[in-house]
Amino acid sequence: MICGRNVLFASLMLSAAPALADECTQAQAVYADPAGTYELHFEPVGSEAAVTSNHFKVRIGDTGVLVDGVVMQSGEPLRANGIVMHDCPTGDVTGAELEACTVWQGPIYAVDKAGQIGLLQPEDAPAADRILLPDFGPSLRRIERLGRRQGYHRQFRCLPVQGVWIMSDGPVLLVTGGSRGIGAAVALAAASEGWRVAVNYASNRDAAEDVVRRIAEAGGTAVSVEGNVGREEGVKAIFAAVDTAFGRLDGLVNNAGIIGPPQRVDEVSPERIEQLFRVNVTGSIRCAAEAVLRMSTRHGGRGGSIVNLSSIAAVLGAPGQYVDYAATKGAIDSFTVGLAREVATEGIRVNAVRPGIIDTEIHASGGLPDRARDLAPTIPMQRPGTAGEVADAILYLLSDKATYVTGTILTVSGGR
Ligand code: NAP
């Protein structure tokens, strides 16, 4: 799938240097991503390399990091497969060593001026107008952290083609309750980091559509997904919609949650307790289960990351206000630790964030619209947190910066 941003940039770049594509061979072409951050330089290999049609190097931004790639034409069906490696050992190398230094592997397609996608031609054929490397974006972000090297210099025998190097198919994140508050902040931040986002909502469609529109305007990809996580048919509908829209899942933020009006335990109704647990606990467990079915290597998935929304109430107990709500978040803590250990060898990390008082509409939904402001003096930092500050912690836990972090509950509470 090519997202809107890529198509937009493609049409912008098509007219960049129309004559040059006819003058350069594939072996001499240079491609840049829309922002000009990355450059992919093909290099001639020569006829003695029977199966290799191109070498290429990728220069990453101004980091000086340079990674090597080869294109190999495979038969039946004929297509060009690319492998990108970084810092591979030389001499006799084992398969495991090669696997460890391989940062991306996949087909490389050529895109012509009409936008038709086809096979990448051998090195002596005219250069493709644009090329498509599915899923290369996430790999680039990993490579970007590999360190710095001396700059890369190359003499071109003919002028490079400045085509568009399309980085499609970023990882997919489902944010339950992504229409408002913390979930909306997570959806927006994740999209800006390259995730394609499914923005779930229960009833406020306009709010969800607004988040999707803002993501699209910023060049990202998102869809809104209706579904009540507190109902089994809602969970099924949410995941069916994600499957249809993206066909893959790489991350889940179990954010949807509710509170009730302040009440003592001896005042709360059984119906309220049942609803709180159904949405906050059963909903999170069921969504995690569906995510595990799609992401776990045990089920043929490629791994992923789950972040659950706990609350500082799980620790403080929220006496006189929401002890039942606090208990749902205590359950989330236990669930986070247990699931993390259960799927630790299946490529899935499971963590939680434990926000303190965050300035969102959840307080108004509990009948206390000024709660965040009123409680500010009780917070060591003397202010409520913002949804964006919680989103930053969630994005960290989702990211490759947290590859050894699982079963952790990260408190984001201003010291409370
Ligand atoms: P919020 O502003 O009230 O937003 C709640 C979001 O959840 C909305 O997008 C809402 O969708 C969605 N939602 C509610 N019930 C749902 C259901 N049954 N199925 C699917 N989606 C549902 O809440 P928030 O303050 O951002 O809180 C987000 C999470 O953080 C919650 O789990 C909450 O317990 C936790 N948390 C919040 C705070 C805080 O101070 N704000 C502190 C600690 C923990 P609609 O737009 O369709 O209603």
Side-chain angles (χ1 to χ4, degrees):
M1 177 186 156
I2 299 173
C3 69
R5 174 166 78 159
N6 292 332
V7 173
L8 174 67
F9 274 107
S11 62
L12 281 178
M13 297 296 289
L14 274 174
S15 60
L20 296 176
D22 302 330
E23 294 164 9
C24 266
T25 63
Q26 190 61 59
Q28 296 164 310
V30 176
Y31 297 88
D33 75 309
T37 309
Y38 310 107
E39 275 180 16
L40 188 154
H41 300 242
F42 280 101
E43 298 186 322
V45 172
S47 57
E48 76 278 3
V51 293
T52 305
S53 67
N54 289 112
H55 278 177
F56 59 86
K57 290 187 182 293
V58 183
R59 183 189 58 74
I60 299 180
D62 59 0
T63 63
V65 174
L66 199 64
V67 292
D68 301 307
V70 291
V71 186
M72 298 201 284
Q73 301 284 353
S74 71
E76 300 304 324
L78 183 70
R79 70 175 186 180
N81 291 302
I83 302 176
V84 174
M85 288 156 290
H86 182 71
D87 266 351
C88 285
T90 51
D92 289 341
V93 290
T94 65
E97 285 172 327
L98 269 183
E99 194 179 335
C101 64
T102 298
V103 291
W104 177 82
Q105 196 164 357
I108 301 183
Y109 298 109
V111 185
D112 69 17
K113 288 185 169 65
Q116 292 286 327
I117 296 177
L119 299 170
L120 186 73
Q121 295 298 310
E123 65 176 25
D124 54 355
D129 199 50
R130 289 163 290 152
I131 57 173
L132 172 64
L133 292 83
D135 283 342
F136 198 31
S139 303
L140 279 179
R141 286 190 289 279
R142 273 198 297 279
I143 302 167
E144 210 159 356
R145 290 194 290 275
L146 287 178
R148 290 177 173 274
R149 275 192 188 174
Q150 284 304 303
Y152 168 63
H153 303 286
R154 182 178 181 282
Q155 296 295 321
F156 297 106
R157 284 199 300 254
C158 70
L159 283 171
V161 176
Q162 283 292 338
V164 175
W165 171 16
I166 302 171
M167 293 178 292
S168 73
D169 293 354
V172 173
L173 177 69
L174 167 62
V175 185
T176 67
S179 52
R180 293 184 291 116
I182 294 168
V186 170
L188 290 160
S192 76
E193 294 195 5
W195 292 84
R196 293 180 290 161
V197 187
V199 179
N200 161 247
Y201 66 99
S203 58
N204 197 331
R205 183 191 189 123
D206 287 349
E209 296 283 322
D210 188 53
V211 172
V212 169
R213 181 188 52 75
R214 289 168 66 190
I215 288 173
E217 281 175 3
T221 302
V223 295
S224 63
V225 174
E226 184 181 357
N228 179 349
V229 301
R231 301 213 164 272
E232 184 57 20
E233 62 270 24
V235 173
K236 292 284 187 210
I238 292 166
F239 281 85
V242 172
D243 291 343
T244 303
F246 299 116
R248 61 181 276 184
L249 185 69
D250 305 273
L252 165 69
V253 179
N254 257 328
N255 167 80
I258 54 172
I259 55 170
Q263 284 180 333
R264 285 170 48 94
V265 171
D266 52 15
E267 294 169 345
V268 296
S269 68
E271 292 75 23
R272 160 173 154 157
I273 298 169
E274 197 271 331
Q275 195 196 7
L276 277 174
F277 274 80
R278 192 152 38 79
V279 173
N280 294 4
V281 182
T282 309
S284 294
I285 296 176
R286 283 294 302 125
C287 287
E290 291 293 330
V292 166
L293 285 172
R294 287 158 177 79
M295 301 192 306
S296 165
T297 53
R298 179 190 174 103
H299 298 294
R302 60 177 112 191
S305 179
I306 296 173
V307 180
N308 298 320
L309 265 291
S310 176
S311 168
I312 197 72
V315 179
L316 301 178
Q321 291 201 317
Y322 320 109
V323 172
D324 47 358
Y325 167 82
T328 68
K329 296 303 183 178
I332 289 297
D333 288 3
S334 306
F335 175 62
T336 299
V337 173
L339 182 63
R341 292 175 181 172
E342 191 165 290
V343 298
T345 59
E346 299 171 23
I348 302 178
R349 295 181 299 101
V350 185
N351 294 287
V353 290
R354 196 182 264 157
I357 306 288
I358 309 301
D359 193 6
T360 71
E361 294 169 355
I362 200 169
H363 308 292
S365 74
L368 297 175
D370 297 328
R371 183 167 181 261
R373 201 187 55 209
D374 291 349
L375 288 180
T378 70
I379 302 168
M381 289 181 74
Q382 299 286 297
R383 67 168 178 88
T386 65
E389 287 172 315
V390 182
D392 284 344
I394 292 171
L395 264 289
Y396 159 72
L397 291 171
L398 285 174
S399 77
D400 286 348
K401 290 179 182 164
T403 48
Y404 201 52
V405 181
T406 196
T408 289
I409 302 166
L410 178 55
T411 300
V412 187
S413 69
R416 193 158 183 253

